Amino acid sequence: MALSKNESFAGDIKTTHPEEEVSPCVSGQTKTSTARLLSREELDRLGGERALVSDFKLMKLEKEAQKNWDLFYKRNTTNFFKDRHWTTREFEELKTCREFESQRLVLLEAGCGVGNCLFPLLEDDRNIFVYACDFSPRAVEFVKLNPLYCPERCCAFQCDLTKDDLRGSVPEGSVDVVTLIFVLSAVHPDKMKLALQNISRVLKPGGVVLFRDYGLYDHAMLRFKAGSKLGENFYVRQDGTRSYFFSKEFLAELCTDAGLQSVSNDYVLRETVNKKEGLCVPRVFLQSKFTKPGQSESS
């Protein structure tokens, strides 16, 4: 559950995961509190997507969600996604949330994939311990097989965030920072609150959740073919993996219901070029920070 090898942020969904065909065409990005305005053509396209998949297919996709991600990692192993060296730039909390320089930071990477965020962080910061979990057992095995994996500095385990209690692997109230980056979009919207509540239990009072995921009206959302729509802003790819596109209002409501408080919650607008088609397309992501009420021990 991550991003492509050739682009820091996931891309257009025309084939299975064509993020790998996308690269930046305009430097920088813009943060805004309002959703992207659609053209008349885009409005017509979205307006024509009224038919949803059958309830049978919806239930089948939910039942086989773990299998589909496991098959994804079987096909692609560790070669599909690019290491995320941008996380400390986008989320300064990964550098600045310590009370003193030698304080060990405890982080939970929820939805770690094969470690594309985990290992750059461990290399960059020698005073960090990372709990890393993923829905896919195969992805977790790839993490453990990585030469950089060290049990003294990280602990990887399989977990369904919507039903497996994180406290079985992570002490309650022990985590300073949770990263939730291109992960929640793969969860059924009805179960997202359960995942956030689960995460909140292991977060320290005053701890931070760092979120980045697909935003409403992202180009990828507009490229799905007929027969791909599962529900409002919720779609299925050709390989059976799913993707939800977040409005800031929906995410804010989810986090509030899970007992988290909003610090920031903005759309990130970017333009990327599809090399295969020679098109410069609008990308929309939602980047947010939420805290667990209460003071941290270091405060």
Side-chain angles (χ1 to χ4, degrees):
M1 301 181 191
L3 300 177
S4 72
K5 194 96 176 155
N6 297 322
E7 168 55 26
S8 297
F9 307 114
D12 156 26
I13 300 175
K14 179 182 177 186
T15 55
T16 302
H17 286 262
E19 296 94 333
E20 58 191 331
E21 298 172 359
V22 182
S23 62
C25 69
V26 179
S27 61
Q29 57 189 23
T30 303
K31 288 187 178 181
T32 176
S33 60
T34 56
R36 182 172 78 87
L37 295 177
L38 297 180
S39 68
R40 173 53 59 186
E41 180 184 356
E42 291 170 330
L43 286 169
D44 291 343
R45 191 184 308 164
L46 279 181
E49 292 181 347
R50 301 189 184 277
L52 303 181
V53 302
S54 67
D55 289 342
F56 173 79
K57 184 174 181 180
L58 198 62
M59 292 174 62
K60 186 173 187 288
L61 287 167
E62 179 66 21
K63 183 178 179 180
E64 296 179 352
Q66 183 182 79
K67 183 185 79 171
N68 288 331
W69 277 109
D70 230 34
L71 288 172
F72 171 84
Y73 287 111
K74 181 179 181 180
R75 287 190 302 271
N76 297 288
T77 65
T78 61
N79 299 317
F80 190 80
F81 298 124
K82 183 178 179 179
D83 282 349
R84 291 171 175 162
H85 294 285
W86 50 266
T87 50
T88 52
R89 181 184 73 242
E90 292 295 325
F91 296 112
E92 68 274 9
E93 285 81 1
L94 293 170
K95 289 283 191 182
T96 63
C97 68
R98 293 176 171 88
E99 186 72 12
F100 49 92
E101 188 174 349
S102 61
Q103 178 184 346
R104 187 179 76 155
L105 187 70
V106 178
L107 184 142
L108 167 64
E109 188 185 359
C112 63
V114 295
N116 300 100
C117 179
L118 165 67
F119 294 117
L121 285 175
L122 289 174
E123 285 187 294
D124 188 53
D125 191 335
R126 301 300 303 176
N127 204 20
I128 188 172
F129 184 89
V130 182
Y131 293 100
C133 66
D134 199 89
F135 195 25
S136 165
R138 194 180 300 271
V140 173
E141 279 305 306
F142 280 127
V143 169
K144 291 181 176 180
L145 290 172
N146 191 301
L148 294 175
Y149 184 78
C150 173
E152 286 74 35
R153 300 195 62 213
C154 53
C155 173
F157 58 98
Q158 191 277 331
C159 179
D160 179 348
L161 291 172
T162 68
K163 66 179 183 181
D164 299 332
D165 194 332
L166 280 167
R167 292 173 295 185
S169 300
V170 184
E172 184 170 0
S174 66
V175 174
D176 297 295
V177 179
V178 175
T179 58
L180 198 59
I181 300 175
F182 293 95
V183 172
L184 203 59
S185 56
V187 176
H188 193 290
D190 292 347
K191 295 185 176 183
M192 290 178 183
K193 179 181 173 181
L194 295 173
L196 290 170
Q197 289 173 329
N198 198 5
I199 287 167
S200 181
R201 294 185 191 105
V202 299
L203 193 62
K204 288 180 180 179
V208 182
V209 177
L210 305 178
F211 175 95
R212 184 163 175 137
D213 218 320
Y214 300 105
L216 189 65
Y217 306 143
D218 177 53
H219 178 71
M221 178 179 175
L222 305 177
R223 291 296 298 269
F224 280 103
K225 307 287 186 181
S228 300
K229 191 170 185 179
L230 305 177
E232 185 177 5
N233 305 332
F234 193 38
Y235 296 83
V236 61
R237 302 184 182 95
Q238 291 180 3
D239 63 357
T241 60
R242 301 168 299 177
S243 185
Y244 185 85
F245 296 83
F246 289 90
S247 70
K248 59 178 293 184
E249 293 80 9
F250 178 73
L251 181 64
E253 183 178 352
L254 272 179
C255 290
T256 299
D257 290 347
L260 300 170
Q261 294 178 346
S262 176
V263 176
S264 62
N265 189 22
D266 296 298
Y267 295 105
V268 175
L269 306 183
R270 224 176 132 83
E271 285 190 321
T272 57
V273 63
N274 185 308
K275 293 178 181 178
K276 186 176 180 180
E277 298 186 15
L279 298 174
C280 198
V281 297
R283 303 311 314 276
V284 183
F285 307 109
L286 189 62
Q287 184 164 309
S288 313
K289 302 173 189 176
F290 295 86
T291 61
K292 182 176 179 176
Q295 290 189 322
S296 64
E297 290 181 9
S298 61
S299 299

